[in-house]
Amino acid sequence: MEPISDDPPAPRRFTRSNELQARLHELIPGGAHTYARGADQYPEFMAPILVRGNGCRVWDADGNGYIEYGMGLRSVTLGHGYRPVLDAVHRAIEDGTSFSRPTELELLAAQDFLALVPGADMVKFAKNGSDATTAAVRLARAATGRDTIAVCDQPFFSVDDWFIGTTAMDSGIPSEIAEGTVRFHYNDLASLAAVLESRAVAAVVMEAATALAEPEPGFLQGVRDLCDRHGTLLVFDEMITGFRWSAGGAQAVYGVRPDLSCWGKAMGNGFPLSALAGKREFMELGGLRTDHDRVFLLSTTHGPESGSLAAFRAVVHEYRTDDPIGKMERAGRRLAAGVNAVAADLGIADYLQVLGRPSCLIFVTRDLDGRPSQEFRTLFLQELLLRGVLGQSFVTSAAHTDADIDETIAACREAAAVYRKAIEQGSVDGLLDGRPVAPAIRRRAAPRRVPSEVE
Ligand SMILES: Cc1ncc(COP(=O)(O)O)c(C=O)c1O
């Protein structure tokens, strides 16, 4: 084991970032365009405002560089500014981005997509993942004539009322909408059976797997069978699993075919694209080849914008000709092994752990009593930021090289030494600067309420 340096890390200033963050709070509610990107998700005086990225590295407004994890809320799998994707986008947008009729590019992108996802017969593109999951919900309701949606107890499916109404941040959402969404438990077929027996359910919406939870043998097939028995559509949310578990998503990994699936995030390596895909008999309800009442199924101005479709095609090409998933998994395995070894060396393996699927790692930060702790999480984030690592998770990309991972492990070794001090003294007092982070979706701004300039 290398000795841990007692020297404090080279000073990093966050002066400009803090000024910009204050101004962002003035102009944009929450000071960010995604709650998960909010300043309240970072140490209070250390929320970098970024100015550029390259590969797995990003730089902030004060000139600090970082190795980044999470990669644009998991939307970037090939690395920032990935040249072949940029070149494809440049070529496409030079000829215009939005027209009054479909382009050939839309057909080519649809062909690429359906070749990757053999369980799907048709696909429709949009910009946000939430649009796709909400479209799946509407389609399932129309196809079944039922209203209730059963969602798995997983973190997130949509910004729309049918899902946000079930969270702690349900202000402005009529309670009857939220009542139309019921929960069941992952890897618990009995809980799903109970829901399907008690109500007529239009769709079961779930991620086939998450970073921390793989399906137990027979679970997904059991879900499929229950849906078939009850005339309920099965919808897989492939937002995170798509292009991270496999190019064909979780359905390709676990071999269970949903009726509909919803895609987004990494489809365009950060360019905005999402998709609803599924079986022809359902998807056609949104088309012109039906005598049924038509379903208003994803009709957006920017849905077919050329730049993102060209990005998508370039991404598909990379997945066909290279092995980005192998690369990000390799990086993840090296990182998990390295950080967990550091924690074990320091005797804090019960408190600081890196867990999850290698392409989708998270870190768990526990307090002295073994409870997940926002204070200890914030301390770890703070110590990593001071040492040039930015990440709310340890989600890797294909751009994270062995050298990047080793540099991260070295930073984690020093950060973990501070963590150990906190464990030894029983609290983060004197070590953590400012208030701890808080869950992104919560009822009140407290405990990270930001004073307004007029107060
Ligand atoms: C599993 C899952 N589904 C759906 C969404 C919504 O996607 P978007 O933010 O593109 O609307 C997210 C976003 O984080 C997600 O993680």
Side-chain angles (χ1 to χ4, degrees), residues 396-412:
T396 51
S397 73
H400 287 79
T401 63
D402 286 357
D404 298 318
I405 298 300
D406 293 347
E407 196 177 322
T408 308
I409 294 168
C412 286

Side-chain angles (χ1 to χ4, degrees), residues 131-144:
D131 295 339
T133 47
T134 296
V137 162
R138 183 181 297 158
L139 192 53
R141 285 175 167 157
T144 59

Side-chain angles (χ1 to χ4, degrees), residues 34 36-37 73-74 127-133 154-160 206-207 210 237-241 262-265 273-274:
T34 325
R37 290 184 166 103
L73 308 184
R74 300 187 181 87
K127 287 286 154 223
N128 291 301
S130 300
D131 295 339
T133 47
Q154 292 162 330
F156 199 80
F157 293 104
S158 175
V159 299
D160 291 314
M206 63 183 297
E207 295 177 86
T210 54
D237 180 331
E238 297 267 22
M239 229 58 71
I240 292 172
T241 48
C262 307
W263 303 69
K265 300 246 185 224
L273 193 65
S274 66

Side-chain angles (χ1 to χ4, degrees), residues 105-164:
L105 181 57
E106 290 168 54
L107 177 62
L108 296 170
Q111 283 172 357
D112 280 355
F113 182 92
L114 294 170
L116 280 183
V117 187
D121 305 313
M122 300 183 87
V123 61
K124 198 160 185 192
F125 295 116
K127 287 286 154 223
N128 291 301
S130 300
D131 295 339
T133 47
T134 296
V137 162
R138 183 181 297 158
L139 192 53
R141 285 175 167 157
T144 59
R146 305 170 180 175
D147 290 340
T148 303
I149 302 297
V151 295
C152 195
D153 53 1
Q154 292 162 330
F156 199 80
F157 293 104
S158 175
V159 299
D160 291 314
D161 288 0
W162 67 270
F163 178 72
I164 296 298

Side-chain angles (χ1 to χ4, degrees), residues 12 17 48-68 80 390:
R12 283 175 172 248
S17 280
I49 303 300
L50 302 182
V51 292
R52 70 187 182 90
N54 181 21
C56 69
R57 305 241 167 196
V58 294
W59 287 266
D60 72 14
D62 291 279
N64 304 308
Y66 306 88
I67 303 174
E68 195 197 14
H80 299 297
L390 172 68

